[in-house]
PDB file of all heavy atoms in Angstrom:
ATOM      1  N   LEU D   1      36.981  78.787  45.682  1.00 96.00           N
ATOM      2  CA  LEU D   1      38.208  79.421  45.024  1.00 96.00           C
ATOM      3  C   LEU D   1      37.796  80.083  43.803  1.00 96.00           C
ATOM      4  O   LEU D   1      38.254  81.145  43.431  1.00 96.00           O
ATOM      5  CB  LEU D   1      39.124  78.260  44.731  1.00 96.00           C
ATOM      6  CG  LEU D   1      40.420  78.508  43.986  1.00 96.00           C
ATOM      7  CD1 LEU D   1      41.280  79.560  44.861  1.00 96.00           C
ATOM      8  CD2 LEU D   1      41.184  77.230  43.725  1.00 96.00           C
ATOM      9  N   LEU D   2      36.824  79.523  43.061  1.00 94.00           N
ATOM     10  CA  LEU D   2      36.291  80.074  41.856  1.00 94.00           C
ATOM     11  C   LEU D   2      35.602  81.407  42.122  1.00 94.00           C
ATOM     12  O   LEU D   2      35.793  82.389  41.394  1.00 94.00           O
ATOM     13  CB  LEU D   2      35.331  79.133  41.125  1.00 94.00           C
ATOM     14  CG  LEU D   2      34.836  79.497  39.731  1.00 94.00           C
ATOM     15  CD1 LEU D   2      35.997  79.713  38.815  1.00 94.00           C
ATOM     16  CD2 LEU D   2      33.860  78.494  39.159  1.00 94.00           C
ATOM     17  N   ASP D   3      34.921  81.486  43.167  1.00 93.00           N
ATOM     18  CA  ASP D   3      34.200  82.763  43.571  1.00 93.00           C
ATOM     19  C   ASP D   3      35.303  83.843  43.925  1.00 93.00           C
ATOM     20  O   ASP D   3      35.136  85.092  43.504  1.00 93.00           O
ATOM     21  CB  ASP D   3      33.341  82.593  44.795  1.00 93.00           C
ATOM     22  CG  ASP D   3      32.022  81.780  44.487  1.00 93.00           C
ATOM     23  OD1 ASP D   3      31.684  81.750  43.272  1.00 93.00           O
ATOM     24  OD2 ASP D   3      31.416  81.347  45.372  1.00 93.00           O
ATOM     25  N   ALA D   4      36.363  83.505  44.603  1.00 93.00           N
ATOM     26  CA  ALA D   4      37.383  84.439  44.916  1.00 93.00           C
ATOM     27  C   ALA D   4      38.051  84.918  43.704  1.00 93.00           C
ATOM     28  O   ALA D   4      38.384  86.152  43.580  1.00 93.00           O
ATOM     29  CB  ALA D   4      38.518  83.783  45.797  1.00 93.00           C
ATOM     30  N   ALA D   5      38.261  84.061  42.607  1.00 92.00           N
ATOM     31  CA  ALA D   5      38.866  84.471  41.398  1.00 92.00           C
ATOM     32  C   ALA D   5      37.919  85.400  40.623  1.00 92.00           C
ATOM     33  O   ALA D   5      38.307  86.415  40.046  1.00 92.00           O
ATOM     34  CB  ALA D   5      39.137  83.219  40.536  1.00 92.00           C
ATOM     35  N   ARG D   6      36.644  85.148  40.644  1.00 87.00           N
ATOM     36  CA  ARG D   6      35.716  86.108  40.014  1.00 87.00           C
ATOM     37  C   ARG D   6      35.665  87.463  40.603  1.00 87.00           C
ATOM     38  O   ARG D   6      35.649  88.479  39.978  1.00 87.00           O
ATOM     39  CB  ARG D   6      34.283  85.471  40.064  1.00 87.00           C
ATOM     40  CG  ARG D   6      34.067  84.267  39.172  1.00 87.00           C
ATOM     41  CD  ARG D   6      32.685  83.611  39.472  1.00 87.00           C
ATOM     42  NE  ARG D   6      32.488  82.581  38.507  1.00 87.00           N
ATOM     43  CZ  ARG D   6      31.581  81.525  38.802  1.00 87.00           C
ATOM     44  NH1 ARG D   6      30.961  81.415  40.086  1.00 87.00           N
ATOM     45  NH2 ARG D   6      31.438  80.459  37.958  1.00 87.00           N
ATOM     46  N   ALA D   7      35.792  87.437  42.009  1.00 83.00           N
ATOM     47  CA  ALA D   7      35.810  88.792  42.727  1.00 83.00           C
ATOM     48  C   ALA D   7      36.988  89.585  42.356  1.00 83.00           C
ATOM     49  O   ALA D   7      37.051  90.770  42.439  1.00 83.00           O
ATOM     50  CB  ALA D   7      35.762  88.534  44.209  1.00 83.00           C
ATOM     51  N   MET D   8      38.099  88.872  41.953  1.00 89.00           N
ATOM     52  CA  MET D   8      39.408  89.652  41.554  1.00 89.00           C
ATOM     53  C   MET D   8      39.348  90.052  40.110  1.00 89.00           C
ATOM     54  O   MET D   8      40.077  91.001  39.795  1.00 89.00           O
ATOM     55  CB  MET D   8      40.558  88.664  41.737  1.00 89.00           C
ATOM     56  CG  MET D   8      41.835  89.296  41.616  1.00 89.00           C
ATOM     57  SD  MET D   8      43.213  88.153  42.058  1.00 89.00           S
ATOM     58  CE  MET D   8      42.867  86.797  40.823  1.00 89.00           C
ATOM     59  N   ASN D   9      38.411  89.670  39.346  1.00 84.00           N
ATOM     60  CA  ASN D   9      38.397  89.964  37.849  1.00 84.00           C
ATOM     61  C   ASN D   9      38.150  91.504  37.653  1.00 84.00           C
ATOM     62  O   ASN D   9      38.773  91.938  36.698  1.00 84.00           O
ATOM     63  CB  ASN D   9      37.253  89.227  37.192  1.00 84.00           C
ATOM     64  CG  ASN D   9      37.713  87.800  36.925  1.00 84.00           C
ATOM     65  OD1 ASN D   9      38.824  87.461  36.988  1.00 84.00           O
ATOM     66  ND2 ASN D   9      36.709  86.938  36.570  1.00 84.00           N
ATOM     67  N   ASN D  10      37.381  92.090  38.547  1.00 84.00           N
ATOM     68  CA  ASN D  10      37.176  93.620  38.353  1.00 84.00           C
ATOM     69  C   ASN D  10      38.525  94.342  38.449  1.00 84.00           C
ATOM     70  O   ASN D  10      38.837  95.273  37.589  1.00 84.00           O
ATOM     71  CB  ASN D  10      36.279  94.096  39.357  1.00 84.00           C
ATOM     72  CG  ASN D  10      34.761  93.743  39.032  1.00 84.00           C
ATOM     73  OD1 ASN D  10      34.517  93.248  37.928  1.00 84.00           O
ATOM     74  ND2 ASN D  10      33.929  94.065  39.975  1.00 84.00           N
ATOM     75  N   ALA D  11      39.371  93.928  39.397  1.00 89.00           N
ATOM     76  CA  ALA D  11      40.619  94.563  39.466  1.00 89.00           C
ATOM     77  C   ALA D  11      41.575  94.341  38.325  1.00 89.00           C
ATOM     78  O   ALA D  11      42.311  95.132  37.889  1.00 89.00           O
ATOM     79  CB  ALA D  11      41.290  94.099  40.824  1.00 89.00           C
ATOM     80  N   LEU D  12      41.412  93.119  37.760  1.00 89.00           N
ATOM     81  CA  LEU D  12      42.238  92.812  36.598  1.00 89.00           C
ATOM     82  C   LEU D  12      41.934  93.694  35.395  1.00 89.00           C
ATOM     83  O   LEU D  12      42.790  93.911  34.545  1.00 89.00           O
ATOM     84  CB  LEU D  12      42.060  91.367  36.279  1.00 89.00           C
ATOM     85  CG  LEU D  12      42.598  90.261  37.231  1.00 89.00           C
ATOM     86  CD1 LEU D  12      42.323  88.860  36.736  1.00 89.00           C
ATOM     87  CD2 LEU D  12      44.080  90.456  37.545  1.00 89.00           C
ATOM     88  N   LEU D  13      40.724  94.124  35.340  1.00 87.00           N
ATOM     89  CA  LEU D  13      40.300  94.959  34.223  1.00 87.00           C
ATOM     90  C   LEU D  13      41.070  96.307  34.297  1.00 87.00           C
ATOM     91  O   LEU D  13      41.173  97.024  33.271  1.00 87.00           O
ATOM     92  CB  LEU D  13      38.762  95.327  34.375  1.00 87.00           C
ATOM     93  CG  LEU D  13      37.793  94.159  34.005  1.00 87.00           C
ATOM     94  CD1 LEU D  13      36.429  94.683  34.251  1.00 87.00           C
ATOM     95  CD2 LEU D  13      37.994  93.650  32.604  1.00 87.00           C
ATOM     96  N   LEU D  14      41.551  96.718  35.476  1.00 91.00           N
ATOM     97  CA  LEU D  14      42.274  97.977  35.611  1.00 91.00           C
ATOM     98  C   LEU D  14      43.681  97.990  35.369  1.00 91.00           C
ATOM     99  O   LEU D  14      44.391  98.940  35.493  1.00 91.00           O
ATOM    100  CB  LEU D  14      42.005  98.489  37.062  1.00 91.00           C
ATOM    101  CG  LEU D  14      40.495  98.476  37.551  1.00 91.00           C
ATOM    102  CD1 LEU D  14      40.396  99.021  38.951  1.00 91.00           C
ATOM    103  CD2 LEU D  14      39.766  99.533  36.608  1.00 91.00           C
ATOM    104  N   LEU D  15      44.198  96.810  34.866  1.00 90.00           N
ATOM    105  CA  LEU D  15      45.642  96.664  34.578  1.00 90.00           C
ATOM    106  C   LEU D  15      46.020  97.360  33.268  1.00 90.00           C
ATOM    107  O   LEU D  15      47.206  97.704  33.146  1.00 90.00           O
ATOM    108  CB  LEU D  15      46.007  95.238  34.486  1.00 90.00           C
ATOM    109  CG  LEU D  15      46.067  94.462  35.870  1.00 90.00           C
ATOM    110  CD1 LEU D  15      46.295  92.974  35.596  1.00 90.00           C
ATOM    111  CD2 LEU D  15      47.117  95.072  36.767  1.00 90.00           C
ATOM    112  N   GLY D  16      44.997  97.631  32.402  1.00 85.00           N
ATOM    113  CA  GLY D  16      45.310  98.328  31.217  1.00 85.00           C
ATOM    114  C   GLY D  16      45.769  97.332  30.067  1.00 85.00           C
ATOM    115  O   GLY D  16      45.391  96.179  30.113  1.00 85.00           O
ATOM    116  N   PRO D  17      46.433  97.828  29.051  1.00 83.00           N
ATOM    117  CA  PRO D  17      46.755  97.053  27.853  1.00 83.00           C
ATOM    118  C   PRO D  17      47.511  95.744  28.223  1.00 83.00           C
ATOM    119  O   PRO D  17      48.241  95.670  29.166  1.00 83.00           O
ATOM    120  CB  PRO D  17      47.662  97.965  27.043  1.00 83.00           C
ATOM    121  CG  PRO D  17      47.364  99.347  27.518  1.00 83.00           C
ATOM    122  CD  PRO D  17      47.055  99.245  28.931  1.00 83.00           C
ATOM    123  N   THR D  18      47.224  94.725  27.462  1.00 87.00           N
ATOM    124  CA  THR D  18      47.820  93.410  27.660  1.00 87.00           C
ATOM    125  C   THR D  18      49.328  93.513  27.495  1.00 87.00           C
ATOM    126  O   THR D  18      49.891  94.256  26.669  1.00 87.00           O
ATOM    127  CB  THR D  18      47.238  92.342  26.715  1.00 87.00           C
ATOM    128  OG1 THR D  18      47.956  91.119  26.955  1.00 87.00           O
ATOM    129  CG2 THR D  18      47.412  92.776  25.176  1.00 87.00           C
ATOM    130  N   THR D  19      50.035  92.599  28.108  1.00 89.00           N
ATOM    131  CA  THR D  19      51.513  92.522  27.994  1.00 89.00           C
ATOM    132  C   THR D  19      51.822  91.491  26.866  1.00 89.00           C
ATOM    133  O   THR D  19      53.007  91.355  26.552  1.00 89.00           O
ATOM    134  CB  THR D  19      52.146  92.121  29.287  1.00 89.00           C
ATOM    135  OG1 THR D  19      51.741  90.809  29.609  1.00 89.00           O
ATOM    136  CG2 THR D  19      51.896  92.997  30.424  1.00 89.00           C
ATOM    137  N   LEU D  20      50.851  90.864  26.285  1.00 90.00           N
ATOM    138  CA  LEU D  20      51.039  89.947  25.219  1.00 90.00           C
ATOM    139  C   LEU D  20      51.152  90.635  23.891  1.00 90.00           C
ATOM    140  O   LEU D  20      50.375  90.351  22.917  1.00 90.00           O
ATOM    141  CB  LEU D  20      49.912  88.866  25.229  1.00 90.00           C
ATOM    142  CG  LEU D  20      49.622  88.146  26.433  1.00 90.00           C
ATOM    143  CD1 LEU D  20      48.536  87.183  26.187  1.00 90.00           C
ATOM    144  CD2 LEU D  20      50.934  87.450  26.980  1.00 90.00           C
ATOM    145  N   ALA D  21      52.159  91.578  23.818  1.00 86.00           N
ATOM    146  CA  ALA D  21      52.228  92.458  22.671  1.00 86.00           C
ATOM    147  C   ALA D  21      53.324  92.093  21.680  1.00 86.00           C
ATOM    148  O   ALA D  21      53.463  92.719  20.670  1.00 86.00           O
ATOM    149  CB  ALA D  21      52.472  93.866  23.113  1.00 86.00           C
ATOM    150  N   ASP D  22      54.033  91.022  21.931  1.00 84.00           N
ATOM    151  CA  ASP D  22      55.139  90.609  20.995  1.00 84.00           C
ATOM    152  C   ASP D  22      55.389  89.111  20.953  1.00 84.00           C
ATOM    153  O   ASP D  22      54.912  88.413  21.930  1.00 84.00           O
ATOM    154  CB  ASP D  22      56.452  91.335  21.231  1.00 84.00           C
ATOM    155  CG  ASP D  22      56.959  91.088  22.642  1.00 84.00           C
ATOM    156  OD1 ASP D  22      57.377  89.955  22.976  1.00 84.00           O
ATOM    157  OD2 ASP D  22      56.911  92.013  23.492  1.00 84.00           O
ATOM    158  N   ALA D  23      55.972  88.593  19.984  1.00 86.00           N
ATOM    159  CA  ALA D  23      56.192  87.226  19.855  1.00 86.00           C
ATOM    160  C   ALA D  23      57.013  86.562  20.976  1.00 86.00           C
ATOM    161  O   ALA D  23      56.747  85.416  21.372  1.00 86.00           O
ATOM    162  CB  ALA D  23      56.890  86.865  18.573  1.00 86.00           C
ATOM    163  N   ASP D  24      58.045  87.280  21.435  1.00 90.00           N
ATOM    164  CA  ASP D  24      58.791  86.750  22.531  1.00 90.00           C
ATOM    165  C   ASP D  24      57.970  86.541  23.803  1.00 90.00           C
ATOM    166  O   ASP D  24      58.120  85.503  24.547  1.00 90.00           O
ATOM    167  CB  ASP D  24      60.019  87.747  22.775  1.00 90.00           C
ATOM    168  CG  ASP D  24      60.976  87.750  21.727  1.00 90.00           C
ATOM    169  OD1 ASP D  24      61.027  86.748  20.907  1.00 90.00           O
ATOM    170  OD2 ASP D  24      61.826  88.694  21.642  1.00 90.00           O
ATOM    171  N   ARG D  25      57.133  87.536  24.120  1.00 93.00           N
ATOM    172  CA  ARG D  25      56.302  87.395  25.264  1.00 93.00           C
ATOM    173  C   ARG D  25      55.351  86.272  25.108  1.00 93.00           C
ATOM    174  O   ARG D  25      55.115  85.474  26.076  1.00 93.00           O
ATOM    175  CB  ARG D  25      55.458  88.713  25.457  1.00 93.00           C
ATOM    176  CG  ARG D  25      54.492  88.695  26.597  1.00 93.00           C
ATOM    177  CD  ARG D  25      55.197  88.531  27.957  1.00 93.00           C
ATOM    178  NE  ARG D  25      54.119  88.494  28.968  1.00 93.00           N
ATOM    179  CZ  ARG D  25      53.981  87.634  30.020  1.00 93.00           C
ATOM    180  NH1 ARG D  25      54.931  86.689  30.031  1.00 93.00           N
ATOM    181  NH2 ARG D  25      53.119  87.720  30.964  1.00 93.00           N
ATOM    182  N   ILE D  26      54.748  86.062  23.922  1.00 95.00           N
ATOM    183  CA  ILE D  26      53.821  84.884  23.741  1.00 95.00           C
ATOM    184  C   ILE D  26      54.563  83.650  23.921  1.00 95.00           C
ATOM    185  O   ILE D  26      54.035  82.735  24.498  1.00 95.00           O
ATOM    186  CB  ILE D  26      53.286  85.068  22.296  1.00 95.00           C
ATOM    187  CG1 ILE D  26      52.304  86.227  22.106  1.00 95.00           C
ATOM    188  CG2 ILE D  26      52.461  83.743  21.975  1.00 95.00           C
ATOM    189  CD1 ILE D  26      51.046  86.092  22.749  1.00 95.00           C
ATOM    190  N   SER D  27      55.811  83.572  23.447  1.00 95.00           N
ATOM    191  CA  SER D  27      56.545  82.297  23.578  1.00 95.00           C
ATOM    192  C   SER D  27      56.750  81.902  25.008  1.00 95.00           C
ATOM    193  O   SER D  27      56.666  80.800  25.436  1.00 95.00           O
ATOM    194  CB  SER D  27      57.913  82.423  22.876  1.00 95.00           C
ATOM    195  OG  SER D  27      57.695  82.612  21.474  1.00 95.00           O
ATOM    196  N   VAL D  28      57.098  82.982  25.839  1.00 96.00           N
ATOM    197  CA  VAL D  28      57.350  82.709  27.316  1.00 96.00           C
ATOM    198  C   VAL D  28      56.033  82.249  27.932  1.00 96.00           C
ATOM    199  O   VAL D  28      56.036  81.239  28.700  1.00 96.00           O
ATOM    200  CB  VAL D  28      57.759  84.001  27.976  1.00 96.00           C
ATOM    201  CG1 VAL D  28      57.881  83.829  29.577  1.00 96.00           C
ATOM    202  CG2 VAL D  28      59.195  84.394  27.521  1.00 96.00           C
ATOM    203  N   VAL D  29      54.927  82.913  27.622  1.00 97.00           N
ATOM    204  CA  VAL D  29      53.676  82.599  28.201  1.00 97.00           C
ATOM    205  C   VAL D  29      53.311  81.108  27.812  1.00 97.00           C
ATOM    206  O   VAL D  29      52.877  80.221  28.711  1.00 97.00           O
ATOM    207  CB  VAL D  29      52.495  83.427  27.772  1.00 97.00           C
ATOM    208  CG1 VAL D  29      51.103  83.024  28.158  1.00 97.00           C
ATOM    209  CG2 VAL D  29      52.739  84.874  28.388  1.00 97.00           C
ATOM    210  N   VAL D  30      53.384  80.754  26.548  1.00 97.00           N
ATOM    211  CA  VAL D  30      52.985  79.406  26.054  1.00 97.00           C
ATOM    212  C   VAL D  30      53.874  78.354  26.790  1.00 97.00           C
ATOM    213  O   VAL D  30      53.476  77.335  27.201  1.00 97.00           O
ATOM    214  CB  VAL D  30      53.112  79.376  24.516  1.00 97.00           C
ATOM    215  CG1 VAL D  30      52.998  77.909  24.056  1.00 97.00           C
ATOM    216  CG2 VAL D  30      52.022  80.237  23.918  1.00 97.00           C
ATOM    217  N   ALA D  31      55.160  78.634  26.885  1.00 98.00           N
ATOM    218  CA  ALA D  31      56.131  77.663  27.451  1.00 98.00           C
ATOM    219  C   ALA D  31      55.771  77.497  28.997  1.00 98.00           C
ATOM    220  O   ALA D  31      55.794  76.309  29.497  1.00 98.00           O
ATOM    221  CB  ALA D  31      57.553  78.208  27.367  1.00 98.00           C
ATOM    222  N   GLN D  32      55.495  78.566  29.644  1.00 98.00           N
ATOM    223  CA  GLN D  32      55.157  78.454  31.085  1.00 98.00           C
ATOM    224  C   GLN D  32      53.812  77.760  31.278  1.00 98.00           C
ATOM    225  O   GLN D  32      53.579  76.964  32.229  1.00 98.00           O
ATOM    226  CB  GLN D  32      55.130  79.726  31.781  1.00 98.00           C
ATOM    227  CG  GLN D  32      56.491  80.429  31.868  1.00 98.00           C
ATOM    228  CD  GLN D  32      56.590  81.775  32.617  1.00 98.00           C
ATOM    229  OE1 GLN D  32      55.637  82.523  32.596  1.00 98.00           O
ATOM    230  NE2 GLN D  32      57.650  81.941  33.259  1.00 98.00           N
ATOM    231  N   HIS D  33      52.812  78.062  30.407  1.00 98.00           N
ATOM    232  CA  HIS D  33      51.544  77.326  30.470  1.00 98.00           C
ATOM    233  C   HIS D  33      51.764  75.827  30.316  1.00 98.00           C
ATOM    234  O   HIS D  33      51.009  74.981  30.896  1.00 98.00           O
ATOM    235  CB  HIS D  33      50.576  77.837  29.407  1.00 98.00           C
ATOM    236  CG  HIS D  33      49.977  79.199  29.664  1.00 98.00           C
ATOM    237  ND1 HIS D  33      49.131  79.833  28.823  1.00 98.00           N
ATOM    238  CD2 HIS D  33      50.076  79.906  30.780  1.00 98.00           C
ATOM    239  CE1 HIS D  33      48.700  80.880  29.398  1.00 98.00           C
ATOM    240  NE2 HIS D  33      49.306  81.051  30.589  1.00 98.00           N
ATOM    241  N   THR D  34      52.630  75.473  29.332  1.00 98.00           N
ATOM    242  CA  THR D  34      52.984  74.104  29.074  1.00 98.00           C
ATOM    243  C   THR D  34      53.471  73.382  30.379  1.00 98.00           C
ATOM    244  O   THR D  34      53.033  72.222  30.695  1.00 98.00           O
ATOM    245  CB  THR D  34      53.879  73.888  27.948  1.00 98.00           C
ATOM    246  OG1 THR D  34      53.385  74.534  26.804  1.00 98.00           O
ATOM    247  CG2 THR D  34      54.285  72.440  27.699  1.00 98.00           C
ATOM    248  N   GLN D  35      54.398  74.120  31.107  1.00 98.00           N
ATOM    249  CA  GLN D  35      54.880  73.494  32.361  1.00 98.00           C
ATOM    250  C   GLN D  35      53.813  73.327  33.380  1.00 98.00           C
ATOM    251  O   GLN D  35      53.753  72.287  34.005  1.00 98.00           O
ATOM    252  CB  GLN D  35      55.941  74.443  32.849  1.00 98.00           C
ATOM    253  CG  GLN D  35      57.154  74.563  32.074  1.00 98.00           C
ATOM    254  CD  GLN D  35      58.150  75.561  32.532  1.00 98.00           C
ATOM    255  OE1 GLN D  35      57.796  76.475  33.227  1.00 98.00           O
ATOM    256  NE2 GLN D  35      59.430  75.468  32.097  1.00 98.00           N
ATOM    257  N   ILE D  36      52.943  74.292  33.447  1.00 98.00           N
ATOM    258  CA  ILE D  36      51.786  74.106  34.426  1.00 98.00           C
ATOM    259  C   ILE D  36      50.826  72.927  34.052  1.00 98.00           C
ATOM    260  O   ILE D  36      50.538  72.119  34.819  1.00 98.00           O
ATOM    261  CB  ILE D  36      50.833  75.497  34.415  1.00 98.00           C
ATOM    262  CG1 ILE D  36      51.720  76.561  34.951  1.00 98.00           C
ATOM    263  CG2 ILE D  36      49.663  75.229  35.316  1.00 98.00           C
ATOM    264  CD1 ILE D  36      51.043  77.965  34.792  1.00 98.00           C
ATOM    265  N   ALA D  37      50.494  72.867  32.774  1.00 98.00           N
ATOM    266  CA  ALA D  37      49.629  71.797  32.312  1.00 98.00           C
ATOM    267  C   ALA D  37      50.260  70.423  32.439  1.00 98.00           C
ATOM    268  O   ALA D  37      49.602  69.449  32.835  1.00 98.00           O
ATOM    269  CB  ALA D  37      49.184  72.004  30.790  1.00 98.00           C
ATOM    270  N   GLU D  38      51.559  70.351  32.166  1.00 98.00           N
ATOM    271  CA  GLU D  38      52.189  69.054  32.329  1.00 98.00           C
ATOM    272  C   GLU D  38      52.300  68.592  33.683  1.00 98.00           C
ATOM    273  O   GLU D  38      52.037  67.406  34.039  1.00 98.00           O
ATOM    274  CB  GLU D  38      53.640  69.154  31.703  1.00 98.00           C
ATOM    275  CG  GLU D  38      53.686  69.231  30.174  1.00 98.00           C
ATOM    276  CD  GLU D  38      55.053  69.401  29.633  1.00 98.00           C
ATOM    277  OE1 GLU D  38      56.021  69.659  30.450  1.00 98.00           O
ATOM    278  OE2 GLU D  38      55.295  69.226  28.447  1.00 98.00           O
ATOM    279  N   ALA D  39      52.462  69.498  34.640  1.00 98.00           N
ATOM    280  CA  ALA D  39      52.469  69.175  36.127  1.00 98.00           C
ATOM    281  C   ALA D  39      51.039  68.751  36.497  1.00 98.00           C
ATOM    282  O   ALA D  39      50.920  67.828  37.364  1.00 98.00           O
ATOM    283  CB  ALA D  39      52.994  70.361  36.898  1.00 98.00           C
TER     284      ALA D  39
END
């Protein structure tokens, strides 16, 4: 699974600028990460 994720990393580089460009977006990401970690 880790190897598959590494193979996908090159494609992720082509996405362009990050979407984490404002406080609202950061808040959503952090909240969703918290849900994943808690589960």
